[in-house]
């Protein structure tokens, strides 16, 4: 993308939003290096300018903002409609009573018929996109291009033919934006909307909403024009369109719908892992279940039989030596195995316990602690003091890990009352 369109920043963000689904140094650094080198090659071979030679545009901010709001709604509906139409067409091909070998041939026939009457839909279409952005196409031609290009893409891709979505949706989206501006100018001649500006904004908004790569195409459209005045309408229209897309297609985008149908769920949300934000001391049990090492297994079994809450509420017990320091961990499995070897239960808990104990510390992150559990296939960790090795200060089990997750869920579902609700509450009180 960087090499084709001379949009290095958008190229990096596109890979993050559509391919990697992560923002980490291990992916960001090579992405930036690759994008810089690709753009440098573009500049050397094709010149420093953007892919599309775009004339100066009048974005009309803030005068035209109400119309951009309406355009955002239309672009969101267009993105959802295009996505649903594409997969509906694919479903219809699957219902055909013929071998799937013939599906691409049928799609090619449909594409050929459309291309015969509207030759502009054939090929990548960068020239046509440039004409739309420069407002060189008349109203009727914009309508024809928008409908014909969308139909051509839906038929060809729905039939199983290999192809892309980027340039075709750019063309249809740009035509939609230009058509909207021309229609508004015809109804309200005094507003003087720029068809090129609205075409540019809609071009980014439609594909951004359909692919859930809104940030990418805000930056992409800005890099095409290099005009900072485009940023406000781009941000407004793209996020409104994205909101409509998330509302009507909450589970998948046009890029991930096929994966979702195969049972693979792609989460495109970016958030910090709560386990990396919290430390062990925040969720550990500060009253750990401890036993003296000389306690007999028979005595422990009797306490279990009597449902001693201090014993049965944990899957593991921390065994202390004569100095009160951690000496081992006794699980229920250890208890049963000891009783199997010696039914009389005259073995001490220290003899039955696991001596090689994996521990954690109060100031250690929950992410590291949970990683220890997974790597060692255990469900609990004694928490010991770093300064006094062996001194038990807590107990971290699976419930402690889940408590961190629960805290995040509760925080996400707390709604700010807002100024109006606070005022109403103050009046009522």
């Amino acid at each position: 993308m960087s090499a084709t369109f001379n949009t290095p920043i958008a190229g990096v963000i596109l890979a993050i939003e559509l391919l990697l689904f992560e923002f980490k140094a291990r992916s960001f650094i090579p992405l930036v290096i690759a994008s810089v080198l690709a753009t440098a090659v573009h500049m050397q071979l094709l010149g420093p300018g953007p892919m599309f030679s775009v004339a100066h545009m009048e974005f009309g901010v803030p005068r035209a903002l109400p119309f951009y709001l309406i355009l955002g709604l239309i672009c969101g509906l267009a993105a959802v409609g295009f996505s649903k139409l594409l997969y509906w067409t694919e479903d219809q091909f699957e219902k055909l009573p013929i071998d799937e070998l013939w599906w691409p041939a049928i799609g090619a026939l449909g594409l050929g018929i459309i291309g015969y009457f509207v030759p502009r839909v054939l090929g990548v279409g960068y020239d046509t996109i440039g004409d739309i952005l420069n407002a060189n196409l008349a109203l009727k031609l914009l309508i024809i291009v928008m409908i014909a290009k969308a139909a051509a893409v839906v038929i060809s891709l729905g039939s199983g033919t290999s192809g892309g979505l980027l340039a075709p949706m750019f063309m249809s989206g740009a035509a939609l934006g230009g058509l909207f501006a021309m229609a508004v100018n015809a109804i309200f001649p005094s507003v003087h909307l720029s068809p090129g500006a609205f075409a540019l904004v809609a071009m980014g908004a439609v594909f951004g909403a359909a692919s859930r790569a809104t940030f990418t195409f805000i930056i992409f459209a800005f890099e095409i024009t290099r005009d900072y005045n485009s940023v406000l309408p781009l941000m407004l229209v793209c996020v409104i369109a994205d909101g409509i897309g998330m509302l009507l297609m909450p589970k998948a985008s046009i890029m991930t719908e096929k994966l979702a149908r195969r049972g693979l769920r792609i989460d495109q949300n970016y958030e910090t892992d709560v386990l990396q934000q919290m430390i062990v001391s925040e969720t550990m049990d500060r009253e750990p279940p401890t036993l003296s090492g000389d306690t007999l297994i028979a005595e422990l079994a009797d306490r279990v039989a009597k449902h001693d809450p201090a014993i049965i509420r944990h899957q593991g017990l921390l065994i202390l030596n004569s100095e009160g320091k951690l000496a081992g961990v006794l699980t229920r499995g250890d208890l049963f195995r000891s009783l199997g070897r010696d039914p009389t239960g005259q073995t001490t808990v220290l003899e039955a316990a696991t001596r090689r104990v994996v521990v954690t510390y109060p100031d250690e992150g929950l992410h590291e602690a949970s990683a220890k559990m997974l790597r060692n296939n255990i469900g609990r960790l004694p928490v010991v003091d770093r300064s006094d090795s062996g001194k038990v200060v807590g107990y971290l089990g699976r419930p402690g890990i889940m408590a961190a997750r629960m805290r995040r869920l509760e925080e996400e579902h707390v709604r700010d009352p807002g100024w109006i609700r606070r005022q109403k509450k103050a009046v009522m009180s």
Side-chain angles (χ1 to χ4, degrees):
M1 185 173 182
S2 300
T4 302
F5 298 104
N6 197 15
T7 54
I9 303 176
V12 172
I13 303 173
L14 178 77
I16 292 173
E17 288 195 308
L18 288 186
L19 299 176
L20 301 176
F21 305 110
E22 70 171 21
F23 186 77
K24 295 182 178 179
R26 68 179 185 183
S27 54
F28 181 69
I29 292 174
L31 274 175
V32 170
I33 294 173
S35 184
V36 168
L37 295 177
T39 307
V41 172
H42 174 102
M43 295 173 66
Q44 184 67 28
L45 299 178
L46 301 177
M51 181 69 183
F52 306 113
S53 297
V54 181
H56 175 72
M57 296 179 179
E58 178 56 50
F59 290 93
V61 178
R63 170 179 53 83
L65 285 181
F67 298 101
Y68 284 119
L69 286 170
I70 300 173
L71 180 65
L73 296 173
I74 295 174
C75 289
L77 294 173
V80 173
F82 190 92
S83 301
K84 291 185 177 296
L85 181 61
L86 174 61
Y87 286 102
W88 178 85
T89 304
E90 187 175 287
D91 292 338
Q92 302 314 305
F93 271 98
E94 292 179 355
K95 295 178 182 178
L96 293 177
I98 58 175
D99 192 275
E100 64 182 49
L101 178 67
W102 294 100
W103 297 353
I106 297 173
L109 177 62
L111 176 61
I113 294 173
I114 296 172
Y116 178 80
F117 291 101
V118 190
R120 281 184 176 269
V121 304
L122 299 176
V124 180
Y126 291 150
D127 293 339
T128 300
I129 295 174
D131 288 337
I132 296 173
L133 295 179
N134 287 291
N136 293 333
L137 301 186
L139 179 64
K140 292 182 179 179
L141 187 54
L142 276 179
I143 297 174
I144 294 173
V145 168
M146 179 182 69
I147 297 175
K149 188 64 175 179
V153 172
V154 165
I155 291 174
S156 59
L157 294 184
S159 66
T161 302
S162 178
L165 286 168
L166 188 66
M169 291 194 69
F170 276 177
M171 186 185 296
S172 294
L176 174 64
L179 180 62
F180 174 80
M182 289 183 180
V184 172
N185 286 337
I187 300 173
F188 307 103
S190 60
V191 297
H192 301 296
L193 301 182
S194 169
F198 276 72
L200 175 75
V201 171
M203 182 179 76
V206 171
F207 193 81
S211 64
R212 299 292 194 276
T214 303
F215 189 41
T216 293
F217 291 98
I218 291 174
I219 301 300
F220 174 83
F222 166 67
E223 287 190 292
I224 283 181
T225 61
R226 315 286 172 87
D227 185 352
Y228 193 76
N229 294 317
S230 66
V231 172
L232 291 182
L234 276 169
M235 291 172 64
L236 182 64
V237 175
C238 286
V239 298
I240 291 175
D242 189 42
I244 297 296
M246 294 179 66
L247 180 65
L248 301 180
M249 290 185 62
K251 295 183 179 180
S253 69
I254 195 171
M255 312 297 285
T256 60
E257 175 68 23
K258 189 179 291 290
L259 297 176
R261 292 183 175 200
R262 296 175 181 174
L264 180 61
R265 185 175 181 271
I266 303 296
D267 186 9
Q268 293 182 260
N269 295 318
Y270 299 89
E271 61 179 355
T272 304
D273 187 354
V274 65
L275 298 185
Q276 294 182 330
Q277 295 180 309
M278 299 179 65
I279 58 177
V280 170
S281 62
E282 295 183 71
T283 60
M284 70 180 187
D285 187 342
R286 296 182 180 276
E287 297 180 359
T290 60
L291 281 176
S292 175
D294 57 3
T295 303
L296 296 179
I297 290 293
E299 180 183 346
L300 176 60
D302 184 59
R303 293 177 64 181
V304 172
K306 294 179 180 179
H307 298 282
D308 186 339
I311 299 297
I312 64 173
R313 68 190 181 98
H314 291 292
Q315 295 290 327
L317 301 174
L318 309 186
I319 309 304
L320 306 182
N321 59 21
S322 58
E323 298 177 355
K325 301 295 182 67
L326 180 66
V329 173
L330 181 75
T331 65
R332 293 186 183 181
D334 295 330
L335 174 62
F336 294 145
R337 282 189 292 270
S338 178
L339 289 173
R341 292 190 299 265
D342 179 13
T344 62
Q346 297 306 303
T347 307
T348 64
V349 292
L350 183 57
E351 293 173 328
T354 301
R355 301 291 188 91
R356 297 181 61 183
V357 182
V358 180
V359 301
T360 185
Y361 305 97
D363 58 348
E364 189 170 36
L366 278 178
H367 178 78
E368 289 75 16
S370 62
K372 288 181 179 180
M373 290 184 180
L374 293 173
R375 282 195 293 264
N376 293 279
N377 193 29
I378 54 180
R380 78 285 311 161
L381 291 174
V383 185
V384 299
D385 193 339
R386 282 188 187 272
S387 60
D388 186 2
S389 179
K391 180 182 179 182
V392 177
V393 295
Y395 176 96
L396 181 68
R398 292 188 182 95
I401 303 295
M402 298 306 296
R405 293 289 184 191
M406 180 58 68
R407 183 181 301 183
R408 168 59 60 86
L409 290 176
E410 291 174 350
E411 289 174 352
E412 288 185 351
H413 287 84
V414 173
R415 180 173 296 181
D416 192 301
W419 181 81
I420 295 178
R421 290 186 180 182
R422 285 197 294 266
Q423 295 300 314
K424 287 184 177 179
K425 186 176 180 180
V427 172
M428 293 176 64
S429 60

